[in-house]
Amino acid sequence: MELNEKFLNNPFLLSDNEQSNISFLGSSKVLNDTIFHYSNDTQFYNLHLDDIEIILVGYILDIRDDSKNEDDILKKLAFAYKSSLDLFLNDYEYMNGRFVLILSSPNDTLLFSDATSMLPIFNYKNKYFSSHEIILKEYVKIALGIELNQYGFNMKNFLDYTNTKEIFSFNPNLMYSFRNNSFKRIFPRGNQKNLPLEYVIEKTEAYLKTQINWLNNHYDKIYLSLTGGFDSKVSLALVRPIIDKVFTFTYMYKFDENTNYEELGNFKKIYYKDNVIVNNLVENFRLNNHKYYFFSDYKAPAKYLQTLGKHVSSHHSYGLSYIINKEFDRSSSIHLKSTLYELAKLSFKDVNDDESILNDIKHWAPRELHGQKEILMNMFKEYKKRNYTDEIFNFGHNIQTMLYWEFRMGNWHSNITQETDFTIDTYILINNRYMIKQFISLNKKDKKEKSLLITIVKNNWPALNYFIANSFDTLEDRI
């Protein structure tokens, strides 16, 4: 298959072959235990410190200090690693961004992702790794002479599965050793805690502010999707100090004064309610940079949809991908997404048997497998082996919450970003292990009541709480 590099952002391949066998991956760097193949468009930073070399693909920031640049951050990580892996991992918890990090030393060459693999990594046989499933599939075909089979349906990025048999996604809470050809779990490293709301706010609030400063110093335009839900309201509250740089947008169906809400289907009811709530937010908070994008105004060409479908590993919203490709300016801009806040709301029962766990996550599986209990159980058991999932139990963490983090966000959501990343990059305010660790440690009562997120809005733009999320009501209606 001929690959279109335009649809492959930051492409790379890690293999033991001196040739990438992929036409546009024409440059390479030889590391101690693997070879890094990249293209002219791959954005990466290369650091040498004594006998340590670090390659960073993508962008990174330290949430503790927004003034640090890549050189500062990677030097600190390298010095920490020279002391011990534990010290390195302590610092690594504070790293946000969308990146892949390769650390090579005389002892080993290690591969890490950001906290949710937002810059995805795919692997074949625990030996070959790439930025894109399609690149890895083509490499295996050309270099190894093996034609990998596809599943007969879209796997929906369930667990660590891709649409290609034998190619798996990289779990963000694992690291990979090229010397040992094996994975190792790097989170959790401590026992689960049950933390009060006040403690979590105290330990995370300052790090939200440093990230807003970092965004302000690095970008001229910050695109923020605004909906009638609560999560986008949290992001909106946090960017209040730099609101003039924020360009909110809402993708929408067209409604008029004759539209009868009660006659709409459930799907369009969601959009109708979004329309009403977003209008209230735009008008009352003077969001002068807001824009609506109506699906009916953007008919994506068949060739665009076909090419995108062949190059990415998800099938979420190709229509939105086309809108963003047509309307967004990548120059000095970034897309601020409001995902991951769900981790401050999830409140699963604590169970330790596979059947109960699978029952809580099976709705994320492909529709074709919903009635296939035995197949799903076998898939889950194989996943657990590959990802050392049983180690999570040893630290007392809720397994379903960790699965949501590691595969729902670390495989499903991370691959969605590929649908738009060739137009604009993505940022998420809590995409670091330190903050996620605090959020998932909230007690169940505060999770169910969304206490942390409500407090974040209250502390940053309290009037936003006047409009009730996903409702036509306001606070006055609830009195």
Side-chain angles (χ1 to χ4, degrees):
M1 171 185 173
E2 185 177 347
L3 301 182
N4 186 336
E5 190 183 359
K6 174 190 172 184
F7 287 83
L8 300 170
N9 182 54
N10 277 337
F12 70 85
L13 172 73
L14 292 163
S15 78
D16 57 0
N17 194 327
E18 292 183 1
Q19 301 298 321
S20 72
N21 292 283
I22 305 294
S23 61
F24 51 82
L25 298 181
S27 301
S28 63
K29 279 186 165 293
V30 178
L31 304 174
N32 286 314
D33 303 279
T34 189
I35 300 173
F36 173 68
H37 301 279
Y38 59 96
S39 82
N40 293 333
D41 295 323
T42 307
Q43 298 174 10
F44 70 94
Y45 192 92
N46 196 197
L47 175 88
H48 293 265
L49 181 69
D50 300 331
D51 56 359
I52 291 178
E53 180 174 3
I54 296 180
I55 292 175
L56 175 86
V57 183
Y59 70 89
I60 192 171
L61 68 145
D62 186 333
I63 63 171
R64 297 168 296 187
D65 186 349
D66 57 274
S67 68
K68 288 182 178 179
N69 59 27
E70 291 91 343
D71 193 68
D72 299 327
I73 292 169
L74 297 185
K75 279 182 179 175
K76 191 172 192 305
L77 289 173
F79 276 120
Y81 179 74
K82 286 171 75 71
S83 297
S84 73
L85 179 61
D86 275 344
L87 285 177
F88 170 88
L89 293 175
N90 287 345
D91 273 339
Y92 202 66
E93 286 195 357
Y94 294 90
M95 300 302 129
N96 204 331
R98 186 168 183 254
F99 62 86
V100 171
L101 190 145
I102 308 152
L103 189 155
S104 187
S105 74
N107 297 326
D108 204 347
T109 300
L110 304 175
L111 178 63
F112 302 88
S113 77
D114 61 68
T116 60
S117 291
M118 199 159 60
L119 196 63
I121 311 172
F122 300 89
N123 95 80
Y124 172 71
K125 297 294 186 184
N126 287 2
K127 185 176 181 181
Y128 306 100
F129 296 81
S130 181
S131 55
H132 294 78
E133 177 184 347
I134 187 62
I135 290 178
L136 195 52
K137 184 182 177 185
E138 285 297 295
Y139 173 79
V140 171
K141 177 181 177 181
I142 297 169
L144 306 182
I146 300 171
E147 183 90 46
L148 296 177
N149 295 319
Q150 299 286 108
Y151 289 98
F153 46 86
N154 192 311
M155 283 301 294
K156 291 182 63 178
N157 311 108
F158 182 58
L159 299 173
D160 62 348
Y161 294 89
T162 70
N163 293 324
T164 306
K165 295 180 180 180
E166 299 185 74
I167 290 181
F168 299 95
S169 67
F170 190 99
N171 187 320
N173 284 330
L174 303 182
M175 73 173 192
Y176 177 76
S177 162
F178 282 93
R179 184 72 52 88
N180 299 321
N181 295 116
S182 63
F183 285 93
K184 178 181 177 180
R185 180 164 283 278
I186 60 172
F187 190 96
R189 295 191 297 136
N191 292 331
Q192 169 74 328
K193 297 178 181 178
N194 193 17
L195 300 176
L197 174 65
E198 295 75 17
Y199 179 90
V200 173
I201 292 170
E202 178 188 345
K203 293 297 181 180
T204 58
E205 196 167 35
Y207 297 136
L208 289 167
K209 296 183 188 303
T210 59
Q211 292 178 77
I212 299 303
N213 290 339
W214 185 86
L215 288 169
N216 186 39
N217 292 332
H218 285 79
Y219 300 99
D220 296 326
K221 282 185 178 180
I222 299 162
Y223 291 99
L224 172 62
S225 172
L226 195 58
T227 71
F230 201 90
D231 293 356
S232 66
K233 193 189 296 186
V234 176
S235 294
L236 182 62
L238 289 168
V239 297
R240 184 184 184 185
I242 57 172
I243 196 65
D244 289 341
K245 283 189 172 185
V246 177
F247 290 73
T248 55
F249 69 95
T250 304
Y251 42 96
M252 182 60 59
Y253 289 94
K254 289 183 178 179
F255 302 104
D256 57 36
E257 63 275 7
N258 297 318
T259 300
N260 186 329
Y261 174 77
E262 297 301 331
E263 294 178 354
L264 296 173
N266 290 335
F267 183 70
K268 285 205 172 181
K269 278 183 176 179
I270 295 172
Y271 279 96
Y272 185 90
K273 194 174 288 184
D274 272 3
N275 187 47
V276 172
I277 298 170
V278 169
N279 279 338
N280 281 328
L281 294 174
V282 170
E283 292 171 9
N284 286 279
F285 295 93
R286 297 183 181 180
L287 303 179
N288 299 326
N289 293 330
H290 187 78
K291 188 166 184 178
Y292 288 97
Y293 297 112
F294 297 102
F295 288 116
S296 58
D297 292 340
Y298 297 87
K299 183 170 176 56
K303 185 176 181 181
Y304 180 93
L305 298 176
Q306 184 181 36
T307 306
L308 181 63
K310 288 180 178 178
H311 287 73
V312 301
S313 297
S314 62
H315 199 295
H316 180 64
S317 184
Y318 288 4
L320 177 60
S321 169
Y322 182 69
I323 291 173
I324 288 176
N325 187 256
K326 291 284 288 184
E327 296 292 344
F328 283 24
D329 175 16
R330 180 157 192 164
S331 175
S332 191
S333 63
I334 198 160
H335 180 193
L336 176 61
K337 295 192 74 173
S338 302
T339 43
L340 299 188
Y341 296 133
E342 192 71 20
L343 289 165
K345 297 182 282 183
L346 288 175
S347 182
F348 290 105
K349 289 183 178 179
D350 291 316
V351 295
N352 59 10
D353 64 287
D354 286 352
E355 188 171 352
S356 298
I357 294 166
L358 187 59
N359 192 55
D360 281 340
I361 66 170
K362 64 183 181 183
H363 60 286
W364 292 320
R367 185 180 64 254
E368 293 83 353
L369 296 178
H370 279 189
Q372 306 294 325
K373 186 175 181 180
E374 186 176 347
I375 293 175
L376 285 172
M377 182 59 74
N378 288 335
M379 290 174 67
F380 181 52
K381 287 181 176 178
E382 290 301 314
Y383 169 87
K384 286 174 59 182
K385 291 177 187 176
R386 285 191 298 272
N387 292 274
Y388 302 95
T389 304
D390 284 341
E391 292 185 18
I392 296 172
F393 289 111
N394 299 338
F395 294 102
H397 282 259
N398 179 272
I399 189 68
Q400 301 97 308
T401 300
M402 291 297 295
L403 289 171
Y404 180 88
W405 172 0
E406 295 182 0
F407 92 77
R408 188 62 179 168
M409 294 294 98
N411 187 14
W412 177 76
H413 175 261
S414 67
N415 281 293
I416 288 174
T417 63
Q418 285 191 339
E419 295 180 9
T420 57
D421 69 357
F422 51 88
T423 299
I424 190 169
D425 220 331
T426 301
Y427 189 83
I428 298 177
L429 285 163
I430 64 168
N431 188 38
N432 58 87
R433 291 173 186 82
Y434 175 81
M435 292 186 71
I436 293 176
K437 179 171 65 175
Q438 310 305 316
F439 281 30
I440 65 176
S441 298
L442 281 166
N443 63 63
K444 289 187 177 182
K445 179 176 181 293
D446 285 326
K447 285 181 178 180
K448 288 179 180 178
E449 296 177 358
K450 298 196 292 271
S451 300
L452 175 61
L453 303 182
I454 291 171
T455 304
I456 289 174
V457 174
K458 180 181 177 182
N459 290 348
N460 290 276
W461 205 341
L464 286 174
N465 277 329
Y466 177 79
F467 295 101
I468 307 298
N470 302 313
S471 173
F472 295 123
D473 291 348
T474 65
L475 282 181
E476 289 182 74
D477 300 307
R478 299 291 175 92
I479 296 175

